[in-house]
Amino acid sequence: MGSKRLDLISDYARHGFNLRVDCRACRHTAVLNARELTDTCSKRGWSRVMAAVEARLKCRKCGSRDVRCGPSFG
Ligand SMILES: [Zn+2]
């Protein structure tokens, strides 16, 4: 099957994926709930575009903003 489009955080929620965030600086990995993140975006009026979401995230461990996002399967 072809790849699903995951341009928006709401696309992750719709497909039932969570958001996996990898820190490039310290290799810490976190999995965020895509539905909660989508809710947060709508409550705060934030963009749901992944590039904008990614720009807002930072590593909880080392504080780096050099993070990479992707879908988490299970
Ligand atoms: Zn880190």
Side-chain angles (χ1 to χ4, degrees):
M1 289 298 288
S3 59
K4 289 176 171 136
R5 290 189 65 94
L6 295 169
D7 298 331
L8 308 173
I9 185 61
S10 48
D11 290 335
Y12 281 72
R14 188 156 41 91
H15 293 305
F17 296 154
N18 281 325
L19 184 68
R20 182 188 154 128
V21 185
D22 293 303
C23 176
R24 286 192 178 109
C26 75
R27 310 254 170 222
H28 179 68
T29 298
V31 176
L32 304 179
N33 185 303
R35 281 183 201 285
E36 285 177 11
L37 216 48
T38 301
D39 283 350
T40 303
C41 287
S42 38
K43 274 179 203 154
R44 302 193 185 181
W46 289 350
S47 169
R48 292 181 182 189
V49 176
M50 281 314 298
V53 172
E54 197 169 319
R56 247 182 234 109
L57 294 171
K58 65 177 179 183
C59 177
R60 278 186 205 162
K61 194 172 174 191
C62 75
S64 170
R65 288 190 177 273
D66 190 7
V67 296
R68 191 182 157 274
C69 297
S72 167
F73 305 99

